[in-house]
């Protein structure tokens, strides 16, 4: 078997320089995300969401980004899930994008709030029918006796709502409002490039280089 301690990769695809990066981290993120999408890497929109429970235990899961602008980063989920419960008790989270093929990582931290009901409704009704039914069928993060529970629930709600399932009251969007960003570009000899953006009073951003 391969010794996992011996697995190594030399990062040599690109560099990240202060003079070539954007002063606004949202613009830098927009550029990198568009490059990831254009590169046709698998699921460039996948991001890890980290939350912390009241007992201070952290947890992570992968979700899909559904929007971003000057207000923040948006995704949709079940409010009664573990992440929803943890965000209700501690409304701060961290996000991470890892684009392996591009040797890039983006980390984002900030406060999280629910998006408006209108925004959640608009996105919910844009989803495929089976996904809308699935939002009703799955009691996310709850213990179930088997997959048959999901299949039975899906059949029940499909019959109940037919082609027009409404948005469940326990389902909707979150928006993380960033106050810290970090952009990581892999470099040769483990001398990676790391740029951190910290929000300053008045909304301006302080850009700093961190040692790898």
């Amino acid at each position: 078997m391969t010794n996992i301690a011996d697995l190594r990769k030399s990062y040599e695809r690109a560099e990240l320089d202060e003079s070539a990066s954007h002063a606004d981290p949202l613009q830098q993120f927009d550029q990198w995300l568009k490059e990831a999408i254009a590169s046709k890497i698998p699921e460039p929109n996948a991001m890890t969401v980290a939350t912390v429970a009241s007992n201070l235990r952290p947890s992570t899961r992968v979700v899909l980004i559904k929007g971003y602008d000057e207000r923040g980063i948006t995704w949709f989920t079940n409010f009664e899930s573990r992440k929803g419960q943890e965000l209700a008790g501690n409304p701060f989270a961290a996000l991470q994008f890892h684009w392996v093929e591009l040797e890039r990582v983006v980390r984002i931290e900030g406060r999280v709030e629910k998006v408006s009901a209108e925004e959640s409704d608009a996105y919910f009704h844009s989803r495929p029918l089976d996904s809308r039914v699935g939002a009703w069928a799955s009691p996310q993060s709850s213990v179930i006796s088997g997959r048959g529970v999901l299949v039975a629930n899906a059949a029940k709600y499909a019959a109940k709502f037919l082609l027009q399932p409404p948005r469940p009251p326990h389902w909707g969007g979150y928006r993380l409002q960033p106050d810290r960003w970090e952009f990581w570009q892999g470099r040769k000899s483990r001398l990676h490039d790391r740029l951190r953006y910290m929000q300053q009073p008045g909304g301006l951003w302080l850009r700093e280089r961190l040692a790898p």
Side-chain angles (χ1 to χ4, degrees):
M1 290 182 60
T2 300
N3 185 343
I4 60 172
D6 293 333
L7 295 176
R8 292 179 177 85
K9 176 182 177 181
S10 180
Y11 301 99
E12 302 178 19
R13 287 183 58 94
E15 61 184 47
L16 180 61
D17 185 81
E18 291 87 336
S19 63
S21 61
H22 294 281
D24 185 332
L26 182 62
Q27 294 181 26
Q28 184 65 38
F29 175 73
D30 179 67
Q31 176 186 326
W32 272 20
L33 178 57
K34 287 178 178 176
E35 290 176 358
I37 294 171
S39 298
K40 300 187 184 303
I41 63 177
E43 294 197 290
N45 54 334
M47 62 183 185
T48 298
V49 178
T51 56
V52 177
S54 58
N55 61 4
L56 303 184
R57 290 181 66 98
S59 62
T60 65
R61 72 287 292 163
V62 177
V63 303
L64 302 179
I65 182 175
K66 292 300 179 180
Y68 62 98
D69 55 27
E70 66 281 352
R71 298 172 298 170
I73 309 295
T74 303
W75 71 96
F76 294 84
T77 190
N78 188 315
F79 295 145
E80 297 176 354
S81 64
R82 179 178 177 181
K83 56 185 170 298
Q85 294 177 27
E86 292 179 352
L87 287 170
N90 177 17
F92 291 89
L95 311 178
Q96 178 170 289
F97 293 83
H98 187 192
W99 298 311
V100 178
E101 295 82 355
L102 301 181
E103 301 172 355
R104 288 174 172 173
V105 173
V106 180
R107 298 169 58 198
I108 313 167
E109 300 175 27
R111 186 179 183 88
V112 178
E113 62 180 20
K114 291 180 180 177
V115 306
S116 68
E118 293 77 14
E119 192 171 349
S120 289
D121 285 341
Y123 175 69
F124 182 80
H125 291 296
S126 74
R127 306 178 83 206
L129 177 60
D130 59 348
S131 295
R132 284 178 279 154
V133 172
W136 285 95
S138 174
Q140 193 174 111
S141 301
S142 298
V143 175
I144 58 176
S145 59
R147 184 171 178 81
V149 172
L150 301 178
V151 175
N153 284 348
K156 178 180 72 174
Y157 287 112
K160 178 178 180 179
F161 297 126
L162 301 178
L163 299 179
Q164 298 296 330
R167 177 175 65 89
H170 58 264
W171 191 98
Y174 286 108
R175 179 176 289 112
L176 182 142
Q177 303 166 313
D179 57 24
R180 179 179 300 193
W181 298 72
E182 183 179 321
F183 296 86
W184 181 96
Q185 176 69 62
R187 297 295 302 275
K188 189 176 181 179
S189 302
R190 296 300 186 265
L191 301 179
H192 311 302
D193 290 329
R194 292 176 64 189
L195 295 184
R196 181 180 66 185
Y197 294 74
M198 299 281 288
Q199 192 169 44
Q200 304 300 295
L204 297 178
W205 293 94
L206 173 65
R207 179 178 50 191
E208 301 173 301
R209 176 174 286 267
L210 302 180

